[in-house]
Amino acid sequence: WEGTQCIGPSYIFRLLRHSPERFSGALMLQPIGVAEHTTEAGGWEGTNAASTRDWFGAWAQEMCSAGRATDAELRRLHGAMFESGTEEFIFSASREEVSAVQTPLLVTAGKDIYHPAEVAREVARLAPNSELLERWRDGDFSEAVAARFIAFLRRHAPPPETRWASLEP
């Protein structure tokens, strides 16, 4: 299984499209994407697309300044996220591609303009083997939330004898 947050779910969807056999399940923690405001604090008009592009620009500048990425690498990433035909959803997969994912997913909702709750809801509606957990972080975290994560991971853990098989040449 795999678990990531923020842009990580976008990467996971790309991996699931190319190598679904390598995943027995995935945690999608507060995926980023484009959506209209629903329950997040602060609110916004229309979609959050402009804010997401602004966030990307500031982050890319930071990455270049720190020497962690080149301008060319970040331009390619920007193109893949915002000019690939998936920029109106989760930046790496279309709604049709998400609908085709058979891997079990536990999707958690975000609470802000960059991690809209509606993106998580739509992923959970589209992916046939998904579960949605809306209240899971900050003041909502509890033993029950932790137990749900653990139960999902246990339910979808690969058999011990196959855990590293996909890494063999």
Side-chain angles (χ1 to χ4, degrees), residues 18-107:
H18 294 289
S19 302
E21 71 283 355
R22 296 185 74 176
F23 296 88
S24 59
L27 294 175
M28 303 275 187
L29 305 177
Q30 59 184 14
I32 62 170
V34 175
E36 292 187 1
H37 175 261
T38 56
T39 58
E40 303 81 9
W44 59 87
E45 294 294 322
T47 70
N48 64 333
S51 294
T52 298
R53 283 185 181 87
D54 290 345
W55 160 83
F56 183 93
W59 173 81
Q61 210 168 29
E62 182 181 310
M63 294 294 285
C64 278
S65 296
R68 295 176 61 198
T70 66
D71 189 56
E73 290 168 330
L74 292 165
R75 286 186 189 282
R76 280 194 306 275
L77 179 58
H78 184 275
M81 288 178 65
F82 299 108
E83 302 160 13
S84 66
T86 61
E87 64 272 6
E88 294 305 317
F89 185 39
I90 58 168
F91 307 127
S92 68
S94 67
R95 287 171 174 86
E96 294 76 27
E97 290 166 331
V98 171
S99 296
V101 169
Q102 296 301 309
T103 303
L105 307 176
L106 177 56
V107 185

Coordinates of all heavy atoms in Angstrom, one line a residue, residues 18-107:
H18 N -0.2 3.5 -14.3 CA 0.9 2.8 -15.0 C 1.2 1.4 -14.4 O 1.7 0.5 -15.1 CB 2.1 3.7 -15.0 CG 1.9 4.9 -15.9 ND1 1.8 4.8 -17.2 CD2 1.7 6.2 -15.6 CE1 1.6 6.0 -17.7 NE2 1.6 6.9 -16.7
S19 N 1.1 1.3 -13.1 CA 1.5 0.0 -12.4 C 0.5 -0.4 -11.3 O 0.9 -0.5 -10.1 CB 2.9 0.2 -11.8 OG 3.8 0.5 -12.8
P20 N -0.7 -0.6 -11.6 CA -1.7 -0.9 -10.5 C -1.4 -2.1 -9.7 O -1.7 -2.2 -8.5 CB -3.0 -1.0 -11.3 CG -2.7 -1.3 -12.7 CD -1.3 -0.6 -12.9
E21 N -0.7 -3.1 -10.3 CA -0.4 -4.3 -9.7 C 0.6 -4.1 -8.5 O 0.7 -5.0 -7.6 CB 0.3 -5.3 -10.7 CG 1.7 -5.0 -11.2 CD 1.8 -3.9 -12.2 OE1 0.7 -3.4 -12.7 OE2 2.9 -3.5 -12.5
R22 N 1.2 -3.0 -8.4 CA 2.2 -2.7 -7.3 C 1.5 -2.2 -6.0 O 2.2 -2.0 -5.0 CB 3.2 -1.7 -7.8 CG 4.1 -2.3 -8.9 CD 5.2 -1.4 -9.3 NE 6.2 -1.5 -8.2 CZ 7.3 -0.9 -8.3 NH1 7.6 -0.1 -9.4 NH2 8.2 -1.0 -7.4
F23 N 0.2 -2.0 -6.1 CA -0.5 -1.4 -4.9 C -1.7 -2.3 -4.5 O -2.5 -2.7 -5.2 CB -1.1 0.0 -5.3 CG -0.1 1.0 -5.7 CD1 0.4 1.1 -7.0 CD2 0.5 1.8 -4.7 CE1 1.4 2.0 -7.3 CE2 1.4 2.7 -5.0 CZ 1.9 2.8 -6.3
S24 N -1.7 -2.6 -3.2 CA -2.8 -3.3 -2.6 C -3.8 -2.3 -2.0 O -4.9 -2.7 -1.7 CB -2.3 -4.3 -1.5 OG -1.6 -3.6 -0.5
G25 N -3.4 -1.1 -1.8 CA -4.3 -0.1 -1.3 C -3.5 1.2 -1.2 O -2.3 1.3 -1.4
A26 N -4.2 2.4 -1.0 CA -3.6 3.7 -0.9 C -4.4 4.6 0.0 O -5.6 4.6 -0.1 CB -3.4 4.3 -2.3
L27 N -3.6 5.3 0.8 CA -4.2 6.4 1.6 C -4.0 7.7 0.8 O -2.9 8.0 0.4 CB -3.4 6.6 2.9 CG -3.5 5.4 3.9 CD1 -2.6 5.7 5.1 CD2 -5.0 5.3 4.4
M28 N -5.1 8.4 0.6 CA -5.1 9.7 -0.2 C -5.4 10.8 0.9 O -6.6 11.1 1.1 CB -6.1 9.7 -1.3 CG -5.9 8.5 -2.3 SD -4.7 9.1 -3.5 CE -4.8 7.7 -4.6
L29 N -4.4 11.3 1.5 CA -4.6 12.3 2.5 C -4.7 13.7 2.0 O -3.8 14.2 1.3 CB -3.5 12.3 3.6 CG -3.3 10.9 4.2 CD1 -2.1 11.0 5.2 CD2 -4.5 10.4 4.9
Q30 N -5.9 14.3 2.1 CA -6.2 15.7 1.7 C -5.6 16.0 0.3 O -4.8 16.9 0.1 CB -5.8 16.7 2.7 CG -4.4 16.8 3.1 CD -4.2 17.8 4.2 OE1 -5.2 18.3 4.8 NE2 -3.0 18.2 4.4
P31 N -6.1 15.3 -0.8 CA -5.6 15.6 -2.1 C -5.8 17.0 -2.6 O -6.8 17.7 -2.2 CB -6.4 14.6 -3.0 CG -7.6 14.2 -2.2 CD -7.2 14.4 -0.8
I32 N -4.8 17.5 -3.3 CA -5.0 18.9 -3.9 C -5.8 18.7 -5.2 O -5.9 17.6 -5.8 CB -3.7 19.5 -4.2 CG1 -2.8 18.7 -5.2 CG2 -2.9 19.8 -2.9 CD1 -1.6 19.5 -5.7
G33 N -6.4 19.8 -5.6 CA -7.1 19.8 -6.9 C -7.9 21.1 -7.0 O -7.9 22.0 -6.1
V34 N -8.7 21.2 -8.1 CA -9.5 22.3 -8.4 C -10.9 22.0 -8.0 O -11.5 21.0 -8.4 CB -9.4 22.7 -9.8 CG1 -10.3 23.9 -10.2 CG2 -7.9 23.1 -10.2
A35 N -11.5 22.9 -7.2 CA -12.9 22.8 -6.8 C -13.5 24.1 -6.4 O -12.8 25.1 -6.1 CB -13.0 21.8 -5.6
E36 N -14.8 24.1 -6.3 CA -15.5 25.3 -5.7 C -15.5 25.1 -4.2 O -15.4 24.0 -3.7 CB -16.9 25.4 -6.3 CG -16.8 25.8 -7.8 CD -18.2 26.1 -8.4 OE1 -19.2 26.0 -7.7 OE2 -18.2 26.3 -9.6
H37 N -15.7 26.2 -3.5 CA -15.8 26.2 -2.1 C -17.0 25.5 -1.6 O -18.1 25.6 -2.2 CB -15.9 27.7 -1.5 CG -16.1 27.7 -0.1 ND1 -17.3 27.9 0.5 CD2 -15.2 27.5 0.9 CE1 -17.2 27.9 1.8 NE2 -15.9 27.7 2.1
T38 N -16.9 24.6 -0.6 CA -18.0 24.0 0.1 C -17.9 24.2 1.6 O -18.6 25.1 2.1 CB -18.0 22.5 -0.3 OG1 -16.8 21.9 0.1 CG2 -18.3 22.2 -1.7
T39 N -17.1 23.5 2.3 CA -17.1 23.5 3.7 C -15.8 24.1 4.3 O -15.7 24.2 5.5 CB -17.4 22.1 4.3 OG1 -16.3 21.2 3.8 CG2 -18.7 21.6 3.9
E40 N -14.9 24.5 3.5 CA -13.6 24.9 4.0 C -13.7 26.3 4.6 O -14.5 27.1 4.2 CB -12.6 25.0 2.9 CG -12.3 23.7 2.1 CD -13.4 23.5 1.1 OE1 -14.3 24.3 0.8 OE2 -13.4 22.4 0.6
A41 N -12.9 26.6 5.6 CA -12.8 27.9 6.3 C -12.4 28.9 5.2 O -11.6 28.7 4.4 CB -11.9 27.9 7.4
G42 N -12.9 30.1 5.4 CA -12.4 31.2 4.5 C -13.2 31.4 3.3 O -13.5 32.5 2.9
G43 N -13.5 30.4 2.6 CA -14.3 30.5 1.3 C -13.5 31.1 0.2 O -12.5 31.8 0.4
W44 N -14.1 31.0 -1.0 CA -13.6 31.7 -2.2 C -14.7 31.7 -3.2 O -15.6 30.9 -3.2 CB -12.3 31.0 -2.7 CG -12.5 29.5 -3.1 CD1 -12.9 29.0 -4.3 CD2 -12.2 28.4 -2.2 NE1 -12.9 27.6 -4.2 CE2 -12.5 27.2 -3.0 CE3 -11.8 28.3 -0.9 CZ2 -12.3 26.0 -2.5 CZ3 -11.6 27.0 -0.4 CH2 -11.9 25.9 -1.2
E45 N -14.5 32.6 -4.2 CA -15.5 32.7 -5.3 C -15.0 31.8 -6.5 O -13.8 31.7 -6.8 CB -15.6 34.1 -5.8 CG -16.2 35.0 -4.7 CD -17.7 34.7 -4.5 OE1 -18.4 34.4 -5.4 OE2 -18.1 34.8 -3.3
G46 N -15.9 31.1 -7.1 CA -15.6 30.3 -8.2 C -14.7 29.1 -7.8 O -15.0 28.5 -6.7
T47 N -13.7 28.7 -8.6 CA -12.8 27.7 -8.2 C -11.6 28.2 -7.6 O -11.3 29.4 -7.6 CB -12.4 26.8 -9.4 OG1 -11.6 27.5 -10.2 CG2 -13.7 26.3 -10.2
N48 N -10.8 27.3 -7.0 CA -9.5 27.7 -6.4 C -8.3 27.7 -7.3 O -7.2 27.7 -6.9 CB -9.3 26.8 -5.2 CG -9.1 25.3 -5.6 OD1 -9.6 24.9 -6.7 ND2 -8.3 24.6 -4.9
A49 N -8.6 27.6 -8.6 CA -7.5 27.4 -9.6 C -6.5 28.5 -9.6 O -5.3 28.2 -9.6 CB -8.1 27.3 -11.0
A50 N -6.9 29.8 -9.5 CA -5.9 30.9 -9.5 C -5.0 30.8 -8.2 O -3.8 31.0 -8.3 CB -6.6 32.2 -9.5
S51 N -5.6 30.5 -7.1 CA -4.8 30.4 -5.8 C -3.8 29.2 -5.9 O -2.7 29.3 -5.5 CB -5.8 30.1 -4.6 OG -6.5 31.3 -4.4
T52 N -4.3 28.1 -6.5 CA -3.4 27.0 -6.7 C -2.2 27.3 -7.6 O -1.1 27.0 -7.3 CB -4.2 25.8 -7.2 OG1 -5.2 25.4 -6.3 CG2 -3.3 24.5 -7.4
R53 N -2.5 28.0 -8.7 CA -1.4 28.4 -9.6 C -0.4 29.4 -8.8 O 0.8 29.3 -9.0 CB -1.9 29.1 -10.8 CG -2.5 28.1 -11.8 CD -2.9 28.7 -13.1 NE -3.4 27.7 -14.0 CZ -4.7 27.3 -14.0 NH1 -5.6 27.8 -13.2 NH2 -5.1 26.4 -14.9
D54 N -1.0 30.3 -8.0 CA -0.1 31.2 -7.2 C 0.7 30.4 -6.2 O 1.9 30.7 -6.1 CB -1.0 32.2 -6.5 CG -1.6 33.2 -7.4 OD1 -1.2 33.4 -8.6 OD2 -2.5 33.9 -6.9
W55 N 0.1 29.4 -5.6 CA 0.9 28.6 -4.6 C 2.0 27.9 -5.4 O 3.1 27.8 -4.9 CB -0.1 27.6 -4.0 CG 0.6 26.4 -3.4 CD1 1.2 26.4 -2.2 CD2 0.9 25.2 -4.0 NE1 1.8 25.1 -2.0 CE2 1.6 24.4 -3.1 CE3 0.6 24.6 -5.3 CZ2 2.0 23.1 -3.4 CZ3 1.0 23.3 -5.6 CH2 1.7 22.6 -4.6
F56 N 1.7 27.3 -6.5 CA 2.7 26.6 -7.3 C 3.9 27.6 -7.6 O 5.1 27.2 -7.4 CB 2.2 26.0 -8.6 CG 3.2 25.2 -9.3 CD1 3.3 23.9 -9.1 CD2 4.1 25.8 -10.2 CE1 4.3 23.1 -9.8 CE2 5.1 25.1 -10.9 CZ 5.2 23.7 -10.7
G57 N 3.6 28.8 -8.0 CA 4.7 29.7 -8.4 C 5.6 30.0 -7.2 O 6.8 30.1 -7.3
A58 N 5.0 30.3 -6.1 CA 5.8 30.6 -4.9 C 6.6 29.4 -4.4 O 7.8 29.5 -4.1 CB 4.9 31.0 -3.7
W59 N 6.0 28.2 -4.5 CA 6.7 27.0 -4.1 C 7.9 26.7 -5.1 O 9.0 26.4 -4.7 CB 5.8 25.8 -4.1 CG 6.4 24.5 -3.9 CD1 6.8 23.9 -2.7 CD2 6.7 23.5 -5.0 NE1 7.3 22.7 -3.0 CE2 7.3 22.4 -4.3 CE3 6.5 23.5 -6.3 CZ2 7.7 21.3 -5.0 CZ3 6.9 22.4 -7.1 CH2 7.5 21.3 -6.4
A60 N 7.6 26.9 -6.4 CA 8.7 26.7 -7.4 C 9.8 27.6 -7.2 O 11.0 27.2 -7.4 CB 8.1 26.8 -8.8
Q61 N 9.5 28.9 -6.9 CA 10.6 29.9 -6.7 C 11.5 29.4 -5.5 O 12.7 29.5 -5.5 CB 10.0 31.2 -6.4 CG 10.8 32.4 -6.8 CD 10.0 33.6 -6.8 OE1 9.0 33.8 -6.0 NE2 10.3 34.6 -7.6
E62 N 10.8 28.9 -4.5 CA 11.5 28.4 -3.3 C 12.4 27.2 -3.6 O 13.5 27.1 -3.2 CB 10.5 28.1 -2.2 CG 11.0 27.6 -0.9 CD 9.9 27.2 0.1 OE1 9.0 28.0 0.3 OE2 10.0 26.1 0.6
M63 N 11.9 26.3 -4.4 CA 12.6 25.1 -4.8 C 13.9 25.5 -5.6 O 14.9 25.0 -5.4 CB 11.7 24.2 -5.6 CG 10.6 23.6 -4.8 SD 11.2 22.5 -3.5 CE 11.6 21.1 -4.5
C64 N 13.7 26.5 -6.6 CA 14.9 26.9 -7.4 C 15.9 27.6 -6.5 O 17.1 27.3 -6.6 CB 14.4 27.9 -8.5 SG 13.8 27.0 -9.9
S65 N 15.4 28.5 -5.6 CA 16.4 29.2 -4.8 C 17.2 28.3 -3.9 O 18.3 28.5 -3.6 CB 15.6 30.2 -3.9 OG 15.0 31.2 -4.7
A66 N 16.5 27.2 -3.4 CA 17.2 26.3 -2.5 C 18.0 25.3 -3.3 O 18.7 24.4 -2.7 CB 16.2 25.6 -1.7
G67 N 18.0 25.3 -4.6 CA 18.7 24.4 -5.4 C 18.2 23.0 -5.4 O 18.9 22.0 -5.8
R68 N 16.9 22.8 -5.1 CA 16.3 21.5 -5.0 C 15.6 21.1 -6.3 O 15.2 20.0 -6.4 CB 15.2 21.5 -3.9 CG 16.0 21.7 -2.5 CD 15.0 21.8 -1.3 NE 14.2 20.6 -1.2 CZ 13.1 20.5 -0.5 NH1 12.7 21.6 0.1 NH2 12.4 19.4 -0.4
A69 N 15.5 22.0 -7.3 CA 15.0 21.7 -8.6 C 15.4 22.8 -9.5 O 15.7 23.9 -9.1 CB 13.4 21.7 -8.5
T70 N 15.5 22.4 -10.8 CA 15.9 23.3 -11.8 C 14.6 24.0 -12.4 O 13.5 23.5 -12.3 CB 16.6 22.7 -13.0 OG1 15.8 21.8 -13.7 CG2 17.9 21.9 -12.4
D71 N 14.9 25.1 -13.0 CA 13.8 25.8 -13.7 C 13.1 24.9 -14.7 O 11.9 24.8 -14.8 CB 14.3 27.1 -14.3 CG 13.1 28.0 -14.8 OD1 12.2 28.3 -14.0 OD2 13.1 28.3 -16.0
A72 N 13.9 24.2 -15.5 CA 13.4 23.3 -16.5 C 12.5 22.2 -15.9 O 11.4 21.8 -16.4 CB 14.5 22.6 -17.3
E73 N 12.9 21.6 -14.8 CA 12.2 20.6 -14.1 C 10.8 21.1 -13.6 O 9.8 20.5 -13.8 CB 12.9 20.0 -12.9 CG 14.1 19.2 -13.3 CD 15.0 18.9 -12.1 OE1 15.1 19.7 -11.1 OE2 15.7 17.8 -12.1
L74 N 10.9 22.3 -13.1 CA 9.6 22.9 -12.5 C 8.7 23.3 -13.7 O 7.5 23.2 -13.5 CB 10.0 24.0 -11.6 CG 10.6 23.6 -10.3 CD1 11.3 24.7 -9.6 CD2 9.7 22.9 -9.4
R75 N 9.2 23.7 -14.8 CA 8.4 24.0 -15.9 C 7.7 22.8 -16.5 O 6.5 22.8 -16.8 CB 9.2 24.7 -17.0 CG 9.5 26.1 -16.7 CD 10.2 26.8 -17.9 NE 10.8 28.1 -17.6 CZ 10.0 29.2 -17.4 NH1 8.7 29.1 -17.6 NH2 10.6 30.3 -17.1
R76 N 8.4 21.7 -16.5 CA 7.8 20.4 -16.9 C 6.7 20.0 -15.9 O 5.6 19.6 -16.3 CB 8.8 19.3 -17.0 CG 9.6 19.3 -18.3 CD 10.4 18.0 -18.5 NE 11.3 17.7 -17.5 CZ 12.5 18.1 -17.3 NH1 13.0 19.0 -18.1 NH2 13.2 17.7 -16.3
L77 N 7.0 20.1 -14.6 CA 5.9 19.8 -13.6 C 4.7 20.7 -13.8 O 3.6 20.3 -13.7 CB 6.5 19.9 -12.2 CG 5.5 19.6 -11.1 CD1 5.0 18.2 -11.2 CD2 6.2 19.7 -9.7
H78 N 5.0 22.0 -14.0 CA 3.9 22.9 -14.1 C 3.0 22.5 -15.4 O 1.8 22.5 -15.3 CB 4.4 24.4 -14.3 CG 3.3 25.4 -14.4 ND1 2.7 25.7 -15.6 CD2 2.7 26.2 -13.5 CE1 1.8 26.6 -15.4 NE2 1.8 26.9 -14.1
G79 N 3.7 22.2 -16.4 CA 3.0 21.8 -17.6 C 2.1 20.5 -17.4 O 1.0 20.4 -17.8
A80 N 2.7 19.6 -16.7 CA 2.0 18.3 -16.4 C 0.8 18.6 -15.5 O -0.3 18.0 -15.6 CB 2.9 17.3 -15.7
M81 N 0.9 19.5 -14.6 CA -0.2 19.8 -13.6 C -1.2 20.7 -14.2 O -2.4 20.5 -14.0 CB 0.4 20.5 -12.3 CG 1.1 19.5 -11.5 SD 1.8 20.4 -10.0 CE 0.3 20.8 -9.1
F82 N -0.8 21.8 -15.0 CA -1.8 22.8 -15.3 C -2.0 22.9 -16.8 O -2.8 23.7 -17.3 CB -1.3 24.2 -14.9 CG -1.1 24.2 -13.4 CD1 0.1 24.3 -12.8 CD2 -2.3 24.3 -12.6 CE1 0.2 24.3 -11.4 CE2 -2.2 24.3 -11.2 CZ -0.9 24.4 -10.6
E83 N -1.4 22.0 -17.7 CA -1.6 22.1 -19.1 C -1.8 20.8 -19.7 O -1.5 20.6 -20.9 CB -0.4 22.9 -19.7 CG -0.2 24.3 -19.2 CD 1.2 24.8 -19.4 OE1 2.0 24.2 -20.2 OE2 1.5 25.8 -18.8
S84 N -2.2 19.8 -19.0 CA -2.2 18.4 -19.5 C -3.6 17.8 -19.7 O -3.7 16.7 -20.1 CB -1.5 17.5 -18.5 OG -2.2 17.4 -17.2
G85 N -4.6 18.7 -19.5 CA -5.9 18.2 -19.7 C -6.5 17.7 -18.3 O -7.7 17.3 -18.3
T86 N -5.7 17.6 -17.3 CA -6.3 17.2 -16.0 C -6.3 18.3 -15.0 O -6.5 18.1 -13.8 CB -5.4 16.0 -15.4 OG1 -4.1 16.5 -15.2 CG2 -5.4 14.8 -16.3
E87 N -6.0 19.6 -15.5 CA -5.8 20.7 -14.5 C -7.1 21.1 -13.9 O -7.1 21.9 -13.0 CB -5.2 21.9 -15.3 CG -5.9 22.4 -16.4 CD -5.7 21.7 -17.7 OE1 -5.0 20.7 -17.8 OE2 -6.2 22.2 -18.7
E88 N -8.2 20.7 -14.3 CA -9.5 21.0 -13.7 C -10.0 20.0 -12.7 O -11.1 20.0 -12.3 CB -10.6 21.3 -14.8 CG -10.3 22.5 -15.6 CD -10.0 23.8 -14.9 OE1 -10.8 24.1 -13.9 OE2 -9.1 24.5 -15.2
F89 N -9.1 19.1 -12.3 CA -9.5 18.1 -11.3 C -8.3 17.9 -10.3 O -8.1 18.7 -9.4 CB -9.9 16.9 -12.0 CG -10.5 15.8 -11.0 CD1 -11.3 16.1 -10.0 CD2 -10.2 14.5 -11.2 CE1 -11.8 15.1 -9.1 CE2 -10.7 13.5 -10.4 CZ -11.4 13.8 -9.3
I90 N -7.5 16.9 -10.5 CA -6.5 16.5 -9.5 C -5.1 16.6 -10.1 O -4.1 16.1 -9.5 CB -6.7 15.2 -8.8 CG1 -6.8 14.1 -9.9 CG2 -7.9 15.2 -7.9 CD1 -6.7 12.7 -9.3
F91 N -4.9 17.2 -11.2 CA -3.6 17.5 -11.8 C -2.8 16.3 -12.4 O -1.8 16.5 -12.9 CB -2.7 18.2 -10.9 CG -3.3 19.5 -10.3 CD1 -3.3 19.6 -8.9 CD2 -3.9 20.4 -11.1 CE1 -3.9 20.8 -8.4 CE2 -4.4 21.6 -10.5 CZ -4.5 21.7 -9.2
S92 N -3.3 15.1 -12.3 CA -2.6 13.9 -12.8 C -3.5 12.9 -13.5 O -3.0 12.0 -14.1 CB -1.8 13.3 -11.7 OG -2.6 12.7 -10.8
A93 N -4.7 12.9 -13.2 CA -5.7 11.9 -13.8 C -7.0 12.6 -14.0 O -7.4 13.5 -13.3 CB -5.8 10.8 -12.8
S94 N -7.7 12.1 -15.1 CA -9.0 12.6 -15.4 C -10.0 11.9 -14.5 O -9.7 10.9 -13.8 CB -9.3 12.4 -16.8 OG -9.4 10.9 -17.0
R95 N -11.2 12.4 -14.5 CA -12.3 11.8 -13.8 C -12.5 10.4 -14.3 O -12.8 9.4 -13.5 CB -13.6 12.6 -13.9 CG -13.5 13.9 -13.0 CD -14.7 14.8 -13.3 NE -14.7 16.0 -12.4 CZ -14.0 17.1 -12.6 NH1 -13.2 17.2 -13.7 NH2 -14.0 18.1 -11.8
E96 N -12.4 10.2 -15.6 CA -12.6 8.8 -16.1 C -11.5 7.9 -15.6 O -11.8 6.7 -15.3 CB -12.6 8.9 -17.7 CG -13.7 9.6 -18.3 CD -13.6 11.2 -18.1 OE1 -12.5 11.7 -18.1 OE2 -14.7 11.8 -18.1
E97 N -10.3 8.4 -15.5 CA -9.2 7.5 -15.0 C -9.4 7.2 -13.6 O -9.1 6.0 -13.2 CB -7.8 8.2 -15.3 CG -7.4 8.3 -16.7 CD -6.3 9.2 -17.0 OE1 -6.1 10.2 -16.3 OE2 -5.6 9.0 -18.0
V98 N -9.8 8.1 -12.8 CA -10.1 7.8 -11.4 C -11.2 6.8 -11.2 O -11.1 5.9 -10.4 CB -10.4 9.1 -10.6 CG1 -10.9 8.8 -9.2 CG2 -9.2 10.0 -10.5
S99 N -12.2 6.9 -12.1 CA -13.3 5.9 -12.1 C -12.8 4.5 -12.4 O -13.5 3.6 -12.0 CB -14.4 6.3 -13.1 OG -15.0 7.6 -12.8
A100 N -11.7 4.4 -13.1 CA -11.2 3.1 -13.5 C -10.3 2.5 -12.4 O -10.0 1.3 -12.5 CB -10.5 3.2 -14.8
V101 N -9.9 3.2 -11.4 CA -9.0 2.7 -10.4 C -9.8 1.7 -9.5 O -10.8 1.9 -9.0 CB -8.5 3.9 -9.5 CG1 -7.8 3.3 -8.3 CG2 -7.6 4.8 -10.3
Q102 N -9.2 0.5 -9.5 CA -9.8 -0.6 -8.7 C -9.1 -0.8 -7.4 O -9.6 -1.5 -6.5 CB -9.7 -1.9 -9.5 CG -10.5 -1.9 -10.8 CD -12.0 -1.7 -10.5 OE1 -12.6 -2.3 -9.7 NE2 -12.6 -0.7 -11.2
T103 N -8.0 -0.2 -7.2 CA -7.3 -0.3 -5.9 C -8.1 0.3 -4.8 O -8.6 1.4 -5.0 CB -5.9 0.5 -6.1 OG1 -5.2 -0.1 -7.1 CG2 -5.1 0.4 -4.8
P104 N -8.2 -0.3 -3.6 CA -8.9 0.3 -2.5 C -8.2 1.6 -2.1 O -6.9 1.6 -2.0 CB -8.7 -0.8 -1.4 CG -8.5 -2.1 -2.1 CD -7.7 -1.7 -3.4
L105 N -9.0 2.6 -1.8 CA -8.5 3.9 -1.4 C -9.2 4.4 -0.1 O -10.4 4.2 0.0 CB -8.7 5.0 -2.5 CG -8.3 4.7 -3.9 CD1 -8.8 5.8 -4.8 CD2 -6.8 4.5 -4.0
L106 N -8.4 5.0 0.8 CA -9.0 5.7 1.9 C -8.7 7.2 1.6 O -7.5 7.5 1.6 CB -8.4 5.2 3.2 CG -8.9 6.0 4.5 CD1 -10.5 6.0 4.6 CD2 -8.3 5.5 5.7
V107 N -9.7 8.0 1.4 CA -9.5 9.4 1.0 C -9.9 10.2 2.1 O -11.0 10.1 2.6 CB -10.4 9.7 -0.3 CG1 -10.1 11.1 -0.8 CG2 -10.1 8.7 -1.4

